[in-house]
Amino acid sequence: MPPNKQLLDKGIKYLLYALPLMFIGPSVIYNAFINKQNVWHYLVLAFGIVFCFLAVYFMFKGIKTLTDALFHDDK
């Protein structure tokens, strides 16, 4: 049985959304800890944490969508 092409494409899109966020999030967090004397320290740290959580969310969503496409998990 062939995989569901639309779900496969959707899963790959989710993984492609997660890829830059996996690098941007830790970089922003590192930048926030380096610039502790700055007024915007906590705001930048919050954005970095949000980027990391979004990367984890998109990775989970992408892998789940890929497995649904490959194993035909109909709901």
Side-chain angles (χ1 to χ4, degrees), residues 14 18 21 50-63:
Y14 282 133
L21 289 173
V50 167
F51 288 153
C52 286
F53 279 127
L54 283 174
V56 170
Y57 171 76
F58 282 129
M59 285 294 291
F60 175 76
K61 189 81 168 165
I63 291 172

Side-chain angles (χ1 to χ4, degrees), residues 3-14 65-66 69:
N4 188 346
K5 185 73 170 163
Q6 289 142 349
L7 271 180
L8 195 64
D9 290 341
K10 193 174 185 181
I12 291 173
K13 276 186 189 178
Y14 282 133
T65 307
L66 283 176

Side-chain angles (χ1 to χ4, degrees), residues 35-65:
N35 296 321
K36 284 186 180 178
Q37 71 277 6
N38 196 342
V39 177
W40 300 99
H41 164 69
Y42 292 112
L43 182 64
V44 173
L45 182 63
F47 274 116
I49 291 171
V50 167
F51 288 153
C52 286
F53 279 127
L54 283 174
V56 170
Y57 171 76
F58 282 129
M59 285 294 291
F60 175 76
K61 189 81 168 165
I63 291 172
K64 181 166 179 1
T65 307

Side-chain angles (χ1 to χ4, degrees), residues 10-42:
K10 193 174 185 181
I12 291 173
K13 276 186 189 178
Y14 282 133
L15 292 176
L16 287 176
Y17 292 153
L19 186 65
L21 289 173
M22 287 190 302
F23 294 101
I24 292 171
S27 299
V28 172
I29 290 174
Y30 176 76
N31 190 6
F33 282 124
I34 290 298
N35 296 321
K36 284 186 180 178
Q37 71 277 6
N38 196 342
V39 177
W40 300 99
H41 164 69
Y42 292 112

